[in-house]
Amino acid sequence: MSKDNVIIRLERKEERRETENLVREAFWNVYKPGCSEHYVLHVLREDPAFIPELNYVMEEEGKLVGQNMFMRTMIVCDDGRTVPVLTMGPIGITPELKRKGYGKTILDYTLKKAKEMGFGAVLFEGNILFYGKSGFTYAREFGIRYHDLPEGADDSFFLCKELIPGYLREVTGVYQTPKGYYVKDEEVEEFDRQFPAKEKLKLPGQLW
Ligand SMILES: CC(C)(COP(=O)(O)OP(=O)(O)OC[C@H]1O[C@@H](n2cnc3c(N)ncnc32)[C@H](O)[C@@H]1OP(=O)(O)O)[C@@H](O)C(=O)NCCC(=O)NCCS
């Protein structure tokens, strides 16, 4: 499904807080009680690996309803080379519009933009049931391993899509998550106080 009535465009500086609130709403209580992704986005915008040309929001009737962004990172190859790749997210859709095709629409659009910029592949952690529909598969099928994961551990969360066909053909190695994604709980708590109060709930299906 794709949405015809939305505008997908770069995030404007003056709407940063609105986007962060959208991300907070999208992720709240999904993976853990509360969430940290709105702070992650806040921090990553200042990171040298951040790509402002791939920092997109989706607007409908003058309201932000979705966002996605990309970061530069690399694969440290088994033969000693490093191969530049992208990682992605947070990506979020406003809760009342989830599962209506908005996520796939902004995902496919931003992947196309990343490809137009010449990037070769995107790797990140996600659910194959959603990302598989946009051409992602398990990164292990490309011979790419997730950093710090013990041998034999479940790596089905670790996904990859080539933007340039064959980009990873001669590559085996370890993918690195950009350091900016690791935020401190205390900093998240402090940042979160700038937003309207929201109840943290322990819910079934959360990862942490
Ligand atoms: C994940 C997210 C971006 C997906 O966007 P969305 O608009 O809800 O998804 P779409 O409607 O475009 O989904 C397209 C297809 O992907 C699949 N899909 C999407 N989310 C899924 C989920 N959580 N579990 C299983 N399948 C899913 C469905 O098959 C869907 O097709 P359907 O409409 O026939 O069910 C959105 O739900 C969201 O913001 N979630 C909370 C934050 C989050 O988890 N972000 C991603 C972190 S990796």
Side-chain angles (χ1 to χ4, degrees), residues 68-86:
N68 190 24
M69 52 148 289
F70 293 80
M71 297 276 289
R72 293 173 197 271
T73 187
M74 61 179 70
I75 294 166
V76 177
C77 303
D78 298 329
D79 62 9
R81 288 179 299 152
T82 56
V83 170
V85 292
L86 289 178

Side-chain angles (χ1 to χ4, degrees), residues 1 26-27 30-31 91-94 97-105 124-127 129-131 133:
M1 200 202 302
F27 280 85
V30 173
Y31 296 104
I91 172 173
I93 298 298
T94 198
L97 294 180
K98 282 180 188 171
R99 300 298 285 265
K100 294 180 189 298
Y102 288 82
K104 185 165 185 339
T105 299
F124 73 113
E125 306 89 343
N127 181 346
L129 295 175
F130 173 54
Y131 297 102
K133 304 211 165 174

